[in-house]
Amino acid sequence: MPSWKLISGLCLAFFGSLVAVAGIGYAMVGIPTEENAAALSQNNVYYWADGKQMVATGSGENRQNISFEQIPKDMQWAVISAENKTFYEDSGVDPMGIARALANMATGGDTQGGSTITQQFVKNTYLSQEQTVSRKFKEMFISIKVGTKLDKRDILQGYLNTSYYGRGAYGIQAAAQTYYGKDAEDLSASECAFLAALLKGPTYYDPAGNEGLDSSATPDANRERSEKRWRWILGEMNKDGHLSDAKYQEAISEYPEPQGRKAIKGMTGQISYLVDTAKKYVLAHSDITEAQFDQGGYQIYTTFEREKVQALAQSVKKIEKERLDPKRKLDQHVQFGAASVKPNDGAIVALYGGAGYEKGHFNNNADTSGVPVGSTWKPFVLAAAMQYGTYKSDGVGVSPMSKYNGNDHLKVQKPDGSYYLKEDNSLFYQENESDHPWGYITLHKAMEQSVNTPFVQLGVDVGMEKVRDIAQQAGILKQSFSETNPSFALGTSTPSAIRMADAYATFAASGKQVDPYSVKQVKRGGQPLPGFDKPAVKEAIPANVANNVTKVLENVIENGTAQNAKALGRTAAGKTGTTDENKSAWFVGYTQQLSTAVAMFRENPKSHALLSMNGTAGKDSIHGGDIPTEVWTEYMKVALKGESDPGFPEPSPIGRVIDQVGAPSPTPSVTATPSETVTEEPSPSPSTSEPEPTPSASASESCAFGWCNDNGGPGDPGGDDGDVSPAPSVSETSGTGGNGNGGNGNGGFFGGTDTE
């Protein structure tokens, strides 16, 4: 028999060894300097213009950290009463609980339990979730140190921000949004008790059930467990003095039914493209790297108005359903892109980027380059003529009542008197869509009926560089410009719908330009970040020039190619556009309150090259005044509902009547206003829609150079509403087209930034 001395010595040695091991462990295990990836991972939360949450996305977990002050007192005490009553007094560990947990691990029993709030915070923040003895020892030693070095408020805040509440929600803010559709700071005491009950194990306490995870987690069983624990937690809060008798009776009176499960929120529908646009804006206006941004934790307050976004999407879907048949081959692969911008402000209130990420369409059609804008470019030519005049006007602006030859198949004359030639040195002839004999017509009338030949010659007379400058001043990015040859006047450039809406907003705002923006404010940790001030208003175009352009574009709706827009029932201005071989069709229009651009095109889903829309919707060709204008009108009816109709400022007479060489004389010597009645055409003109192609004409157009033409030589007739055929490098190749599902030339920040 061993003596008592031996037994005593062995016991002392054992306990001494435990103390030594504990001392060594305490000394060797320090508080990690970095949080684990899961704790760092947060959602980026996007908000609508009215401040309501749009979507939380951007990381692997639905997590949003909030400050201690934003966590309701009831939530704090609910967790303390239910899980760790001595939280504010203890050292951060529960020795007996740890012993039970270690014993359970050793015997293969239940691994749950045995942790204080501090220990759970340490596990969530610094350690993995694995159930091992070594992890439990680390948790104990780190918790002791954390308990002595961190403020209890910080520990509780960290715990509530990192705990899992079920349905993919990490943290109290994400949980409040997931279960009650509100911010955490707005939770009631009853709702706080419900969320605290979930921390016991959301698989078994979510009343929606989780039978997919455990067959015993049925809705009925979970509801019973949830109500029982909810009542118990409220009772403990009352017993502990954290909930008065009156508030307890109020809270216990009715179970706080959470909202049902919803489809996974995220990148679906138009939300996909709103997030895409806002993210690009954030990265372009800050020093935040994409890696930092994707790690999450940012709150992005956007300019997008939910009702307008929905209205735009519904308008596209409505017109698609009415006009397109998915079973008809020529109606397949048709796409739309659209954007709506506030004049005098620059805020992007709505956009339509495509069918949605969930349908495999990952390219944002509202914010991409690659779709030529056609005759919607003509207002920039007219504005340049009004502001700068032509080479023969000595700097005096040109009146829109000036006459140019509108006939088909005309030579284009250079300022030196020579003519543009084709590649084979034969004469180049500019074509209209039809051979209608317009004769010499005013620029006002040429815009109304979207006649090609006057604007090509006008662009040459003004100088294409000046046309480019006006377009850039209005808001078009230089990276989206095509070459400044005669074709430039008829819309071979490829700005995004956002930029076109913004540029026309400059006309709507009497020449004041504001860069388009989609983000009003970005916060992290509750603190606003720099770089997101509202863009400055610039005097881009003389007010009277812009107002005269608007007057001419009002007539396009009243009497010209955009008469479908008259259904809006209020004063508006705009321009239609259609391009080479009918590969794209546009309408850009505005009131003083809103400027909206709508693009329509077809593309090869494999190569992403643009396809002809001849035959689409059962029509010989699609014009900008057709489906795009219908979409625009449907949207603007909803977007402007309840708004006043202020009209536009009446312009003063501008410029001098400077007719093209060869126009009949005498030329009027007085200045005419754009609002004068146009009676100079000897032949009748179409009055209800964009001119239909003649049976013998294809829907392609020509430009001054052989490489501009896709089919045949530059002399091929075409041009659906006065637009010229872009070069193959613009409309035929996917690299610059970028309008495919995942195409490689998606344009970048508000379109056109992928190339120089």
Side-chain angles (χ1 to χ4, degrees), residues 6-29:
L6 179 59
I7 293 174
S8 298
L10 290 173
C11 288
L12 288 173
F14 175 75
F15 285 112
S17 298
L18 287 179
V19 171
V21 168
I24 293 171
Y26 183 86
M28 293 182 64
V29 177

Side-chain angles (χ1 to χ4, degrees), residues 328-563:
R328 185 165 48 203
K329 184 176 181 180
L330 291 174
D331 286 3
Q332 295 172 1
H333 313 307
V334 173
Q335 297 187 32
F336 291 86
S340 196
V341 173
K342 282 185 177 180
N344 253 320
D345 184 287
I348 306 168
V349 297
L351 57 79
Y352 182 85
Y357 282 20
E358 74 277 15
K359 295 186 178 179
H361 186 88
F362 299 107
N363 196 50
N364 185 350
N365 290 346
D367 184 19
T368 188
S369 63
V371 182
V373 297
S375 284
T376 59
W377 200 255
K378 288 175 182 173
F380 303 127
V381 181
L382 181 60
M386 289 178 177
Q387 181 168 347
Y388 299 114
T390 67
Y391 69 91
K392 55 185 178 181
S393 72
D394 297 324
V396 178
V398 173
S399 166
M401 302 309 293
S402 302
K403 291 184 178 180
Y404 271 67
N405 194 337
N407 285 337
D408 184 40
H409 195 66
L410 295 181
K411 295 178 289 185
V412 181
Q413 188 175 41
K414 299 179 182 179
D416 64 5
S418 63
Y419 295 97
Y420 282 94
L421 304 177
K422 296 189 293 187
E423 286 183 326
D424 62 2
N425 288 324
S426 61
L427 281 172
F428 162 74
Y429 291 90
Q430 176 59 52
E431 310 296 332
N432 290 328
E433 180 183 15
S434 73
D435 58 2
H436 182 84
W438 291 104
Y440 282 85
I441 57 174
T442 63
L443 298 173
H444 186 273
K445 186 68 177 181
M447 185 75 76
E448 173 192 297
Q449 296 300 325
S450 203
V451 186
N452 279 359
T453 48
F455 284 97
V456 172
Q457 188 62 62
L458 179 66
V460 171
D461 292 352
V462 172
M464 294 301 178
E465 292 75 16
K466 289 185 173 64
V467 175
R468 178 198 61 201
D469 292 345
I470 282 287
Q472 188 169 346
Q473 291 163 23
I476 302 298
L477 295 176
K478 64 180 181 180
Q479 296 92 333
S480 61
F481 292 145
S482 62
E483 292 190 46
T484 52
N485 53 52
S487 304
F488 185 75
L490 299 179
T492 55
S493 296
T494 59
S496 68
I498 291 175
R499 283 289 170 174
M500 284 301 288
D502 183 69
Y504 272 49
T506 302
F507 296 137
S510 297
K512 295 183 177 67
Q513 193 272 333
V514 189
D515 287 339
Y517 68 103
S518 58
V519 175
K520 298 185 292 186
Q521 187 180 59
V522 177
K523 292 183 179 180
R524 184 173 174 83
Q527 298 301 312
L529 301 182
F532 300 99
D533 294 334
K534 184 177 175 180
V537 178
K538 294 169 284 196
E539 298 285 346
I541 299 174
N544 201 40
V545 170
N547 291 340
N548 270 277
V549 170
T550 293
K551 191 70 175 180
V552 174
L553 297 187
E554 283 186 80
N555 190 57
V556 173
I557 292 177
E558 284 300 312
N559 303 301
T561 59
Q563 290 197 56

